[in-house]
């Protein structure tokens, strides 16, 4: 039983609210998140993560974790984020950490190097 939800729902026999068949979870106690998921989709299964579309590796050779990022950015030469000149890295793929570093400092070099 999860302990992070402040609200729990006991699913009683014969429940038919929101046009769902609740018989598969009768007698269960659901946290708010699970209750809401079942109410919306009729299942407790989470949506599978979609296959990554697009690049999934940072092209900066000095990147500490080139395949471990929540997001990868394809750099457009016309980008102006952070007031930086992005033409030196135009066309490259950067992980979120390298992208943020370049946006803040205008370089991919780490400060500790």
């Amino acid at each position: 039983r999860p302990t992070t939800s402040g609200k729990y729902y006991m699913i009683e026999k014969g429940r038919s609210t929101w046009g769902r068949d609740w018989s598969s979870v009768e007698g269960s106690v659901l946290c708010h998140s699970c209750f809401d998921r079942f109410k919306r989709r009729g299942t407790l299964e989470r949506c599978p993560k979609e296959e990554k579309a697009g690049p999934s590796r940072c092209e900066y050779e000095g990147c500490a974790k080139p395949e471990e990022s929540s997001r990868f950015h394809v750099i457009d030469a016309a980008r102006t984020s952070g007031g930086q000149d992005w033409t030196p890295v135009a066309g490259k793929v950067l992980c979120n950490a390298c992208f943020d570093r370049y946006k803040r400092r205008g370089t991919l070099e780490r400060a500790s190097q």
Side-chain angles (χ1 to χ4, degrees):
R1 177 174 167 173
T3 58
T4 57
S5 178
K7 189 152 188 159
Y8 296 92
Y9 301 86
M10 174 63 159
I11 308 303
E12 298 171 356
K13 186 175 178 131
R15 183 180 194 118
S16 63
T17 50
W18 292 287
R20 295 279 179 217
D21 174 14
W22 293 79
S23 62
S24 63
V25 291
E26 280 180 0
S28 299
V29 176
L30 302 179
C31 69
H32 179 74
S33 294
C34 292
F35 179 84
D36 191 51
R37 184 179 304 127
F38 196 90
K39 178 178 77 173
R40 285 182 287 115
R41 298 196 340 248
T43 181
L44 292 176
E45 296 296 317
R46 292 183 177 174
C47 291
K49 288 189 175 184
E50 293 185 22
E51 291 295 318
K52 287 184 181 180
S56 61
R57 181 170 174 77
C58 184
E59 294 180 358
Y60 171 52
E61 293 95 21
C63 183
K65 298 179 180 178
E67 296 176 346
E68 298 178 31
S69 183
S70 59
R71 183 172 178 199
F72 293 91
H73 304 264
V74 178
I75 307 303
D76 180 3
R79 182 179 285 277
T80 59
S81 303
Q84 305 297 343
D85 174 16
W86 291 83
T87 54
V89 292
K92 294 196 181 290
V93 175
L94 298 178
C95 67
N96 209 45
C98 291
F99 175 84
D100 284 343
R101 186 180 312 117
Y102 196 91
K103 185 170 93 174
R104 283 190 320 273
R105 299 180 39 230
T107 182
L108 290 172
E109 297 296 319
R110 300 174 93 189
S112 61
Q113 290 181 342

